[in-house]
Amino acid sequence: MKNMNNTSRIRAIDAIKRKLVGHELSYEDSYAIMHEFSTGGLTDIFVAYFAAASFSAGYTDDELYNLTKAMVETGKKFTLKGIVADKHSIGGMPGTRASMIIVPIVAAAGYQIPKTSSRAITTPAGTADCMEVLAPVAIELEKAQAIVERIGCCIIWGGHLGIAPADDVIIRVEEPLSFESYDKVIISILAKKVAASSKYMVLDIPVGPSMKIRLVKDALRFRDAFTRIAQRFGIRVKADINFQYEPAGFGIGPNYETIDAVKVLAQTPDRSSDLEFKSIKLASEVLDLCFAADHRADDSLLVAEYLLKSGAAMKKFREIVKAQGGDGDFVIDRISVGNNKKEILAPHDGVVSGVNNFNITSLARLLGAPSDKLGGMVLQARMGQRIKKHDILLTMYTNSADKLREAVDTYTHMPVFELQV
Amino acid sequence: MKNMNNTSRIRAIDAIKRKLVGHELSYEDSYAIMHEFSTGGLTDIFVAYFAAASFSAGYTDDELYNLTKAMVETGKKFTLKGIVADKHSIGGMPGTRASMIIVPIVAAAGYQIPKTSSRAITTPAGTADCMEVLAPVAIELEKAQAIVERIGCCIIWGGHLGIAPADDVIIRVEEPLSFESYDKVIISILAKKVAASSKYMVLDIPVGPSMKIRLVKDALRFRDAFTRIAQRFGIRVKADINFQYEPAGFGIGPNYETIDAVKVLAQTPDRSSDLEFKSIKLASEVLDLCFAADHRADDSLLVAEYLLKSGAAMKKFREIVKAQGGDGDFVIDRISVGNNKKEILAPHDGVVSGVNNFNITSLARLLGAPSDKLGGMVLQARMGQRIKKHDILLTMYTNSADKLREAVDTYTHMPVFELQV
């Protein structure tokens, strides 16, 4: 689509130039920029200049507010009534699909949670890739809105909705840099929540050496700025800053992470207690906000645990799968795994004293994730666990014998687990 | 003190024997055992048999309740009225003196928190050792109770109070093993809280490779058992399960950990944001329980932050120091550090990808902690931080040039930080 309004185009270019030399952007500047980005009126060169300015100069609170508002207004929007909540993780840890558990818990409690998720870019799977194992996720906004109005929730791919489209343009240009400023992250997340008409949100901020935020002091600064701007949109934010040093689940890659999530929902005895704990904790924090808005005095933790353990969340999850066009009667044990597999054994006794998440991601991608949904791994060892020589540390899965050989060879110089004797 | 009541002694011995062959202990059995332990009626051999039985057979809920009740009733007790709360960490991570910050915050909010702490056994400092840098901590129960009634709180050494004295006997016998069963930990902690008349408590359960609990699933099992038994004593427990992989503060050893805590209380610009965050979070969880009991609808997180940032917590902390007999007008910058120091520099560029807490403890003890309050270290690097070659990783302090040399030599094969290139 080409831009017809030359005034807007000139204003946008002028605003980007002024920002580059340190001027503050007004709401009109912001709108012109977002309008041009979202309609393809400016080439990637201009988008890159804009992105560069956000790294060097940073934004004032007013600019963050204006840019977010303009990003929302140049795209489509949900128009949901009642209590609408959301949960967002700024993480980057593979194998931690808590959203697929939190969304049905919150909806089973009677609140709306229109979850839009991303696909994997550099990780082995995004929530959208995982959900797609069971149901379509590329859903039009009108249909998604109807689903949320009917069953209270959805788990869909955000890239197909047309909400905050300028963000997709900016992200595409930033990708070669593999780098986003914190300010830009605030705008991206918040624009999508405003467009989804969410009024309550829990911001999961895992901190750790392989997370996007590595230090608590940076997490606190991010939380404070995010909360301030969100408040101006009438959104109440609860931030959960937590240390994370390894995947919460066992599986890495779309099918394996999906299996983890549904095992927690189905309460199978072999489910991951870490993933269950993280999900209940975050779901209870979302419920805290909903209960406060609803003047309900219930204990959110007990409610979240009850909805999970009673099977209400699993029932709701099957409704989601069905509403999005999948088989709501899916059988967990029939979710497929790759044809080729290889168990990696412990070379000696020891306690797991480190888990290298970069290597997890690299190996899972070598095995075919995320494009091959059956490529990936299942981790059998956990931080702090005592391991005996020849215990299984992890199992690699893939559909390709070549890929398996390559991943096994790579493991020798890219091990996942550190064993302290 | 010798036991005069032969019937009790015979019952205790008989009960221990029966427990060893798998019988369940009744309340009368439990009372006899705790009575004999607390009055010195049984030798260490019998205590060891009892401790051994707790490892092998474990306890039913009824036994846990009875043993705890008996342990309380064979010792002294606080008799506090009104809302009495507490916070207890089952951790074992050095350099994390959150109690010295949480106690004054909770008391400044108007609730009672009679904090009894331990001295270091194998770590470089306990809260009691740190508090002793500023004020006496060996306080009689009657005086402690009067302090709490007057100012709402205290931070004292639990070993001098005579509450749950049987526990001290059991711990002394268990020490050579360096090992406690989870069941025994439940009894120890709970007996002290019941004796302190606490009705609300936050149980801080850090999980990690160098913590007492290394896996989330074990933390959940511990939390569930603890909460069940506490409920029978009318104590409401909120468990905070969190990952911890490095000290929250910078300092290791009594004086350095004390400096960290008072810097957070005084809100100096160079305070530790990790320690502050952990303290505010736990304090707000204690306040959540108090507010619920008090039918107060305030946001506990905002209240905790306000009491800390406004200086109210610092003012309360100075009251504690003064009430226990220290100098309430102490000046932070005059808390002494060791005469001999040595900075350890980074051998190359890298990101801190691991912190070895066992080595931290060993080095701090080599430097003289806890008996020499000036022995210890200050860590300058944190997990996830980018480090340049020759940046200072940590500074060792001690009063003895010999100890410094020994610790510096030891560092070469016991490094604290792992730097990933």
Side-chain angles (χ1 to χ4, degrees):
Chain A
M1 198 185 347
K2 272 285 151 222
N3 172 44
M4 298 292 116
N5 181 344
N6 214 32
T7 325
S8 162
R9 190 163 177 275
I10 290 165
R11 169 144 214 165
I13 294 172
D14 184 51
I16 292 171
K17 276 190 204 156
R18 276 184 287 117
K19 182 67 197 170
L20 278 169
V21 296
H23 283 246
E24 197 176 324
L25 295 175
S26 69
Y27 173 69
E28 288 73 21
D29 292 335
S30 305
Y31 189 90
I33 292 170
M34 294 302 169
H35 177 71
E36 295 308 311
F37 285 3
S38 64
T39 57
L42 290 178
T43 62
D44 286 359
I45 307 289
F46 286 104
V47 181
Y49 277 128
F50 173 78
S54 89
F55 290 123
S56 50
Y59 294 119
T60 64
D61 276 14
D62 281 340
E63 283 180 303
L64 287 173
Y65 176 78
N66 289 331
L67 286 164
T68 306
K69 191 160 184 276
M71 194 181 260
V72 172
E73 289 175 351
T74 52
K76 292 190 186 179
K77 274 183 265 187
F78 281 85
T79 51
L80 294 166
K81 288 185 179 54
I83 294 175
V84 183
D86 210 337
K87 169 257 160 190
H88 192 93
S89 173
I90 62 155
M93 175 65 76
T96 307
R97 291 277 82 77
S99 293
M100 290 169 82
I101 301 160
I102 296 165
V103 168
I105 292 177
V106 172
Y111 301 101
Q112 296 173 98
I113 179 163
K115 180 75 192 145
T116 65
S117 300
S118 61
R119 289 190 186 279
I121 301 169
T122 52
T123 60
T127 295
D129 299 308
C130 291
M131 193 62 198
E132 206 173 33
V133 170
L134 298 170
V137 293
I139 307 236
E140 306 290 329
L141 182 76
E142 295 69 25
K143 195 184 161 196
Q145 164 134 352
I147 293 174
V148 178
E149 281 169 349
R150 185 156 54 81
I151 67 168
C153 59
C154 62
I155 303 175
I156 58 182
W157 176 39
H160 193 70
L161 291 166
I163 67 175
D167 193 43
D168 300 330
V169 175
I170 302 171
I171 285 175
R172 183 171 46 73
V173 170
E174 282 178 335
E175 231 167 76
L177 272 181
S178 281
F179 193 57
E180 273 183 306
S181 73
Y182 285 160
D183 278 359
K184 170 49 188 36
V185 173
I186 293 176
I187 298 171
S188 292
I189 300 174
L190 206 46
K192 273 153 191 155
K193 302 304 161 190
V194 173
S197 49
S198 297
K199 290 289 171 200
Y200 305 95
M201 74 171 284
V202 168
L203 191 62
D204 175 29
I205 311 182
V207 173
S210 44
M211 308 307 294
K212 277 189 198 146
I213 298 191
R214 294 198 303 246
L215 301 174
V216 166
K217 67 177 179 198
D218 293 335
L220 291 165
R221 216 176 291 137
F222 183 84
R223 175 197 70 174
D224 290 345
F226 191 95
T227 307
R228 272 198 321 271
I229 313 302
Q231 218 156 26
R232 292 172 67 169
F233 286 100
I235 297 179
R236 227 192 119 187
V237 176
K238 188 166 178 175
D240 186 71
I241 298 175
N242 54 80
F243 291 95
Q244 195 172 348
Y245 289 82
E246 67 183 329
F250 307 122
I252 309 295
N255 274 45
Y256 311 99
E257 300 185 27
T258 303
I259 291 171
D260 273 348
V262 294
K263 277 188 173 173
V264 170
L265 285 165
Q267 295 282 294
T268 65
D270 61 343
R271 68 194 186 272
S272 156
S273 47
D274 285 24
L275 183 62
E276 173 168 303
F277 175 69
K278 187 177 174 87
S279 304
I280 290 178
K281 189 158 158 273
L282 289 171
S284 97
E285 286 171 358
V286 176
L287 290 180
D288 265 340
L289 294 171
C290 296
F291 288 177
D294 214 7
H295 308 287
R296 253 175 87 171
D298 294 317
D299 183 320
S300 64
L301 206 58
L302 294 182
V303 172
E305 274 195 284
Y306 171 76
L307 291 172
L308 181 62
K309 309 219 158 175
S310 66
M314 184 63 183
K315 188 163 163 267
K316 180 59 75 177
F317 184 75
R318 291 187 183 279
E319 279 179 44
I320 303 172
V321 170
K322 204 175 156 197
Q324 293 182 195
D327 174 11
D329 300 319
F330 70 88
V331 177
I332 297 176
D333 294 342
R334 298 210 195 124
I335 300 175
S336 7
V337 296
N339 289 327
N340 297 280
K341 73 169 193 174
K342 169 76 183 176
E343 292 169 344
I344 305 288
L345 307 184
H348 54 76
D349 289 12
V351 169
V352 180
S353 61
V355 176
N356 190 316
N357 301 295
F358 295 114
N359 293 356
I360 288 179
T361 297
S362 306
L363 290 165
R365 290 182 72 86
L366 273 181
L367 290 162
S371 59
D372 173 6
K373 286 197 154 48
L374 295 171
M377 309 189 290
V378 173
L379 311 176
Q380 266 101 326
R382 294 203 79 73
M383 275 292 255
Q385 196 178 328
R386 203 173 289 280
I387 295 284
K388 292 221 161 296
K389 186 175 175 175
H390 294 158
D391 277 356
I392 303 171
L393 295 176
L394 62 87
T395 308
M396 297 178 174
Y397 290 97
T398 172
N399 268 341
S400 142
D402 284 350
K403 283 182 176 166
L404 186 60
R405 243 190 318 274
E406 198 186 339
V408 171
D409 286 352
T410 304
Y411 191 87
T412 58
H413 57 269
M414 284 181 92
V416 166
F417 297 104
E418 192 182 301
L419 284 182
Q420 207 161 55
V421 186
Chain B
M1 202 187 338
K2 273 280 152 227
N3 173 44
M4 297 293 115
N5 182 344
N6 214 31
T7 324
S8 162
R9 188 162 179 275
I10 289 164
R11 169 144 214 166
I13 294 172
D14 183 51
I16 292 171
K17 276 191 204 156
R18 276 184 287 115
K19 181 67 198 170
L20 277 169
V21 295
H23 283 245
E24 197 176 325
L25 296 175
S26 69
Y27 174 70
E28 289 71 23
D29 292 334
S30 305
Y31 190 91
I33 292 170
M34 294 302 168
H35 177 72
E36 294 309 311
F37 285 4
S38 64
T39 55
L42 290 178
T43 63
D44 286 358
I45 307 290
F46 286 104
V47 180
Y49 278 128
F50 173 78
S54 89
F55 291 123
S56 51
Y59 294 119
T60 64
D61 276 13
D62 281 340
E63 282 180 303
L64 287 173
Y65 175 78
N66 288 332
L67 286 164
T68 306
K69 191 161 183 280
M71 194 181 260
V72 172
E73 289 174 352
T74 51
K76 292 189 185 180
K77 273 184 265 186
F78 281 85
T79 51
L80 295 166
K81 287 186 179 55
I83 295 174
V84 183
D86 211 337
K87 167 257 160 191
H88 190 93
S89 173
I90 62 154
M93 175 65 75
T96 306
R97 291 278 81 77
S99 293
M100 289 168 81
I101 302 160
I102 296 165
V103 168
I105 291 177
V106 173
Y111 302 101
Q112 296 173 98
I113 178 163
K115 181 74 192 145
T116 65
S117 301
S118 62
R119 290 190 186 277
I121 300 167
T122 53
T123 61
T127 295
D129 299 308
C130 291
M131 193 62 198
E132 207 174 33
V133 172
L134 298 170
V137 293
I139 308 235
E140 304 290 328
L141 183 75
E142 295 68 26
K143 195 185 160 195
Q145 164 133 353
I147 292 174
V148 178
E149 281 169 349
R150 185 156 53 82
I151 67 168
C153 59
C154 61
I155 302 174
I156 57 183
W157 176 40
H160 194 72
L161 290 167
I163 66 176
D167 193 43
D168 301 331
V169 176
I170 301 170
I171 285 174
R172 183 170 47 73
V173 170
E174 281 178 336
E175 232 166 75
L177 271 181
S178 281
F179 193 56
E180 274 183 307
S181 73
Y182 286 160
D183 278 359
K184 170 51 188 34
V185 173
I186 293 177
I187 298 171
S188 291
I189 300 175
L190 206 47
K192 274 154 193 155
K193 302 305 162 190
V194 174
S197 50
S198 298
K199 287 291 171 200
Y200 305 95
M201 74 170 285
V202 168
L203 191 61
D204 175 30
I205 311 183
V207 173
S210 43
M211 308 306 294
K212 276 189 199 145
I213 298 192
R214 293 198 304 245
L215 300 174
V216 167
K217 67 176 178 199
D218 292 335
L220 291 166
R221 216 175 293 137
F222 183 83
R223 175 198 69 172
D224 291 346
F226 191 95
T227 306
R228 274 199 318 273
I229 312 302
Q231 220 156 25
R232 292 173 69 169
F233 286 101
I235 297 180
R236 225 191 120 189
V237 176
K238 186 165 180 177
D240 186 71
I241 298 175
N242 54 79
F243 291 95
Q244 195 172 347
Y245 288 82
E246 66 183 330
F250 306 122
I252 308 296
N255 274 44
Y256 310 99
E257 299 186 28
T258 302
I259 291 171
D260 274 348
V262 293
K263 277 187 173 174
V264 170
L265 285 165
Q267 295 282 293
T268 64
D270 61 344
R271 68 195 186 272
S272 157
S273 46
D274 285 25
L275 183 62
E276 173 168 304
F277 175 70
K278 188 176 174 85
S279 304
I280 289 178
K281 189 157 159 273
L282 289 171
S284 96
E285 286 171 357
V286 177
L287 290 179
D288 265 341
L289 295 171
C290 296
F291 288 177
D294 213 7
H295 308 288
R296 252 175 89 172
D298 294 317
D299 183 321
S300 64
L301 207 57
L302 294 182
V303 172
E305 274 194 285
Y306 172 76
L307 291 172
L308 182 61
K309 307 216 159 177
S310 67
M314 183 63 183
K315 187 162 164 266
K316 180 59 75 178
F317 184 75
R318 290 187 183 279
E319 278 179 42
I320 304 172
V321 171
K322 204 175 156 196
Q324 291 181 199
D327 173 11
D329 300 318
F330 70 87
V331 176
I332 298 175
D333 295 341
R334 299 212 194 122
I335 300 175
S336 8
V337 295
N339 289 327
N340 298 280
K341 73 170 191 172
K342 168 76 184 176
E343 292 169 343
I344 304 289
L345 307 184
H348 54 75
D349 289 10
V351 169
V352 180
S353 62
V355 176
N356 191 315
N357 302 295
F358 295 114
N359 293 356
I360 288 178
T361 297
S362 306
L363 291 165
R365 289 182 71 87
L366 273 180
L367 289 162
S371 60
D372 173 5
K373 286 195 154 49
L374 296 171
M377 308 189 291
V378 173
L379 311 175
Q380 266 99 328
R382 294 204 80 70
M383 275 292 253
Q385 196 178 329
R386 201 174 290 281
I387 295 285
K388 293 222 160 299
K389 185 175 175 174
H390 293 159
D391 278 355
I392 303 172
L393 294 176
L394 63 86
T395 308
M396 297 178 173
Y397 290 96
T398 172
N399 269 340
S400 142
D402 283 350
K403 283 182 177 167
L404 186 60
R405 242 189 320 273
E406 198 186 341
V408 171
D409 286 352
T410 304
Y411 190 87
T412 58
H413 58 269
M414 284 181 93
V416 166
F417 297 104
E418 193 182 300
L419 284 182
Q420 206 161 55
V421 186

